[in-house]
Amino acid sequence: MAVTMRQIEAVPEVYPEITSLIYPLAEGEGAWIWQRIESYIAHRYIARDVIWTVEGGGDWTPPLAPAVITVAHRWDGVDWITASLSAGPYGYCLPDDGPYSITATVGGGDVPAAVNKAAMRLANYLTVRINSADPQLWATTSKGQGVNVEDGTGIINTEDSWQRPKDWTANAMQLSGAADLLRPYRRA
């Protein structure tokens, strides 16, 4: 079985728009949300180039979808030579150990409703928790200690302090509900 050793993925110039937001995103934040979504799933919706380095002979499946192989090379010990990949039962069949350098165009098609909804949930979760002064959206309280909540115009609460848990952004994909919607898109 062939193994993908390295993946070099280009960053697209634009990402799909995220709609139905509670707070507007600042410039560039939509790309950041989509990059978090794409790091979690194996499907791409905006076309970009990808280069995979693959070792070992046998069956190989591109780890991202949809993928259209544009060129493949095999290292012959001195130089990269053009190689042809034949179709196999699990994608492609690599005839010998390689290593191979496989270039493809990945991405395209319409963004499924579930993926759009996941992007909206993640964006709303992150922006509401940053912008809102509602203490229900902040996880822990402490009387008279910690940092007071501010909205840019002054201190909102002088008696109690509200703090976010330290890992609130790290767990945003799960806590927002986006991870559940993205489960079918985790594998190519």
Side-chain angles (χ1 to χ4, degrees), residues 14 38 58 64 66 78-79 95 101 107 123 125 133 136-137 143 161 169 172:
V14 296
E38 287 185 345
L64 298 176
V78 177
D79 202 4
S101 176
Y125 174 83
Q136 297 300 319
L137 297 173
K143 286 260 188 215
S161 296
T169 54

Side-chain angles (χ1 to χ4, degrees), residues 94-163:
L94 306 181
D96 58 43
D97 287 342
Y100 291 87
S101 176
I102 301 171
T103 303
T105 300
V106 174
D110 294 331
V111 179
V115 177
N116 271 328
K117 183 76 169 180
M120 183 267 306
R121 281 187 178 186
L122 181 61
N124 279 335
Y125 174 83
L126 292 170
T127 58
V128 166
R129 291 185 66 100
I130 289 170
N131 294 310
S132 179
D134 182 355
Q136 297 300 319
L137 297 173
W138 294 59
T140 61
T141 65
S142 56
K143 286 260 188 215
Q145 54 186 324
V147 179
N148 289 322
V149 178
E150 296 185 31
D151 67 357
T153 61
I155 296 174
I156 292 173
N157 188 332
T158 58
E159 185 176 316
D160 296 330
S161 296
W162 305 91
Q163 282 179 273

Side-chain angles (χ1 to χ4, degrees), residues 3 11 15 40 45 51 61 89 93 109 111 139 177 186:
V3 176
V11 177
Y15 285 95
Y40 196 76
Y45 303 102
I51 300 170
T61 303
C93 185
V111 179
R186 299 265 306 164

Side-chain angles (χ1 to χ4, degrees), residues 125-127 129-130 164-173 175:
Y125 174 83
L126 292 170
T127 58
R129 291 185 66 100
I130 289 170
R164 294 181 181 103
K166 290 180 174 83
D167 61 351
W168 75 278
T169 54
N171 293 325
M173 192 73 72
L175 296 173

